[in-house]
Amino acid sequence: MPGYHPARSRRAAERKGDVRERAILDTCAALLARMGYEAMTVGDIAQGAGITRGALYFYFGSKQEVVTALVARTVEQLWERSRVTAQADEPRQAIAAAMRRTVDLWNEHGLVMRTAIDLSLTVPEIGELWNRTADLFITAIAAVLERAGVQAGTEPEQASAMARALCWMIERTFYHVSQESRENLQQASSTCEHIWLVSAGLTV
Amino acid sequence: MPGYHPARSRRAAERKGDVRERAILDTCAALLARMGYEAMTVGDIAQGAGITRGALYFYFGSKQEVVTALVARTVEQLWERSRVTAQADEPRQAIAAAMRRTVDLWNEHGLVMRTAIDLSLTVPEIGELWNRTADLFITAIAAVLERAGVQAGTEPEQASAMARALCWMIERTFYHVSQESRENLQQASSTCEHIWLVSAGLTV
DNA sequence: GCAAAAATCGACGCCGTGTAGAATTGGAGG
DNA sequence: CCTCCAATTCTACACGGCGTCGATTTTTGC
């Protein structure tokens, strides 16, 4: 494209900075795993990415912004995947499939998801991101419940309210158990699935 | 020994320091409510308690220790109360009573409990405290499930595993909703109660 | 009333954050 | 090849919070 006008901004095409930016986020994820949010210092991230603190502040305004970007990157993958996923129409299968996907999700992104949950309170930006993600799940759960015969609505015994509670149950259960072994995660998943089934009125 | 610096050791009855210590914890709770853990500085707590930072460090070794003490104080009240509470023997009533007590609990101590949950990861001491508290609840829930006919055991569809998931559901639901209104808290409680009932096989 | 212990203070050093401005690189155009 | 502008990087600095130390004042026990 000879007549290509970049006009402005780094978004032209793969500047050096884009690579660095990714390197920073990757390093951040690694350090997050190794020593946790509090202990991780901006200097550590910079060093890990092969630059100095000063250079890092060219890309991100603060430590929080770095982590927010990391969470955003991860969460967008989730949204992407959930948009693609087809909805099975038989409730029992839908529930089983959903729990299987959830296990994969936490196996792959457990660390970042835990961090997102931890920082939801202190970093409003991350809280917003995570809320939107949770709402996706709640809506999906509610849809399954309704298809299984639970009355729609937000009253305590209706689909929306129950979906919200079930979502928190799953989130918290996986949050805890994903810090342990994968076997436990599978077990916990089965338990959640069972409660979800029973709540949908699908008792054996 | 001039170099002797006890961070926290007194055991004769009601020294002046005991009053101060309580004042510090009370101030800490107030500040926690007004501006949250991160924003709250050791200087703020000291000032609120009418002393200087230096003096505060005579009572507590760090900001974390202060909050840990606050959580410990609150949590001990919970243990006290749960020990006193009689166990109703009819499952339906037991569940209703438990949820009623949970609502009271979160209305009264919601702030500190939320803080405890938030800091469970970063402050091991607090995590330990909160885990022990959660175990109390899990055991209680499991007992009710078993009395309602759910098979005892830790396999996915047995009482212990289900109790754990239900506990996390309740914790997380109340955690979120206790930051909002009391009406919502009542609603959420009903939802949790319903799911608990259904999980116990007590449908309608 | 008088030592010893308890409690308080003010100042210091450390570390991490975020900012400013100077210095370097890299690629498009003459 | 040289130049210029923007992108990128660095070094140095100021700020603020944390935890420590030694000195000082207040209580407490006898």
Side-chain angles (χ1 to χ4, degrees):
Chain A
M1 275 304 194
Y4 183 56
H5 263 261
R8 44 170 264 88
S9 94
R10 295 215 320 283
R11 285 286 160 253
E14 196 67 16
R15 291 217 187 294
K16 185 177 183 181
D18 293 321
V19 182
R20 273 280 139 81
E21 199 167 312
R22 243 177 300 139
I24 292 173
L25 293 190
D26 292 341
T27 305
C28 179
L31 294 182
L32 227 35
R34 193 177 325 144
M35 52 185 179
Y37 178 78
E38 309 279 351
M40 175 182 67
T41 180
V42 174
D44 294 332
I45 305 177
Q47 186 175 4
I51 53 179
T52 59
R53 282 171 10 86
L56 188 146
Y57 276 101
F58 173 78
Y59 295 99
F60 299 98
S62 70
K63 179 178 168 184
Q64 293 193 345
E65 252 185 51
V66 176
V67 181
T68 302
L70 175 62
V71 170
R73 189 175 75 168
T74 305
V75 152
E76 264 159 37
Q77 289 181 34
L78 306 199
W79 294 346
E80 199 68 36
R81 191 188 303 186
S82 79
R83 197 176 328 123
V84 169
T85 308
Q87 306 288 353
D89 36 16
E90 208 286 301
R92 254 175 270 258
Q93 288 174 16
I95 292 175
M99 291 309 300
R100 232 177 297 117
R101 278 191 291 122
T102 304
V103 170
D104 293 343
L105 214 61
W106 282 85
N107 269 331
E108 194 171 353
H109 301 292
L111 175 79
V112 177
M113 290 169 79
R114 279 201 303 277
T115 320
I117 292 172
D118 288 333
L119 298 180
S120 279
L121 251 201
T122 43
V123 188
E125 184 85 30
I126 292 183
E128 179 59 31
L129 245 30
W130 190 249
N131 275 343
R132 234 182 304 171
T133 307
D135 280 337
L136 280 185
F137 282 89
I138 292 173
T139 307
I141 296 175
V144 173
L145 288 180
E146 290 173 21
R147 219 174 310 138
V150 176
Q151 188 182 1
T154 61
E155 291 300 305
E157 303 193 3
Q158 298 176 339
S160 287
M162 291 180 64
R164 170 160 264 107
L166 289 173
C167 177
W168 296 147
M169 173 184 75
I170 295 170
E171 178 199 289
R172 206 57 182 166
T173 297
F174 277 80
Y175 173 95
H176 277 119
V177 89
S178 74
Q179 301 176 72
E180 308 169 6
S181 69
R182 300 211 161 184
E183 294 78 49
N184 291 2
L185 203 140
Q186 192 54 57
Q187 290 265 321
S189 170
S190 299
T191 305
C192 289
E193 182 172 345
H194 177 243
I195 294 183
W196 186 355
L197 279 167
V198 171
S199 299
L202 301 172
T203 316
V204 185
Chain B
M1 290 93 239
Y4 182 52
H5 219 273
R8 188 164 140 65
S9 60
R10 258 162 301 92
R11 263 304 87 185
E14 196 66 15
R15 294 211 190 294
K16 183 178 182 180
D18 293 321
V19 182
R20 272 281 137 82
E21 198 168 313
R22 246 177 297 140
I24 291 174
L25 294 189
D26 292 341
T27 305
C28 178
L31 294 182
L32 227 36
R34 194 177 323 143
M35 52 185 176
Y37 178 77
E38 308 280 349
M40 175 182 69
T41 180
V42 174
D44 294 333
I45 306 176
Q47 186 176 1
I51 54 179
T52 59
R53 278 169 17 84
L56 188 145
Y57 277 100
F58 173 77
Y59 295 99
F60 300 97
S62 69
K63 178 179 169 182
Q64 294 192 346
E65 253 185 50
V66 176
V67 180
T68 302
L70 175 62
V71 170
R73 190 175 74 168
T74 306
V75 152
E76 264 159 38
Q77 288 181 33
L78 306 200
W79 295 346
E80 198 68 34
R81 191 187 304 186
S82 78
R83 197 175 329 122
V84 169
T85 308
Q87 307 286 354
D89 35 16
E90 209 286 299
R92 253 175 272 258
Q93 288 175 16
I95 292 175
M99 292 309 299
R100 232 178 296 119
R101 277 191 292 121
T102 304
V103 170
D104 293 345
L105 216 61
W106 281 85
N107 270 331
E108 194 171 351
H109 301 294
L111 175 79
V112 177
M113 292 169 78
R114 279 201 301 278
T115 316
I117 292 172
D118 288 331
L119 298 181
S120 278
L121 252 203
T122 43
V123 187
E125 183 84 32
I126 292 184
E128 179 59 31
L129 246 29
W130 191 249
N131 275 344
R132 234 182 304 170
T133 307
D135 280 338
L136 280 185
F137 282 89
I138 292 173
T139 307
I141 295 176
V144 173
L145 288 180
E146 289 173 21
R147 219 174 308 138
V150 176
Q151 187 181 0
T154 60
E155 291 301 304
E157 302 193 3
Q158 297 175 339
S160 287
M162 291 180 64
R164 170 161 264 106
L166 290 173
C167 177
W168 296 146
M169 172 184 76
I170 295 170
E171 178 199 288
R172 207 57 182 166
T173 297
F174 278 81
Y175 173 95
H176 277 118
V177 87
S178 74
Q179 300 177 71
E180 308 169 5
S181 69
R182 300 209 161 185
E183 294 79 50
N184 291 4
L185 203 141
Q186 192 55 57
Q187 291 265 321
S189 170
S190 298
T191 304
C192 289
E193 182 172 345
H194 177 242
I195 294 182
W196 186 355
L197 279 167
V198 172
S199 299
L202 301 171
T203 315
V204 185

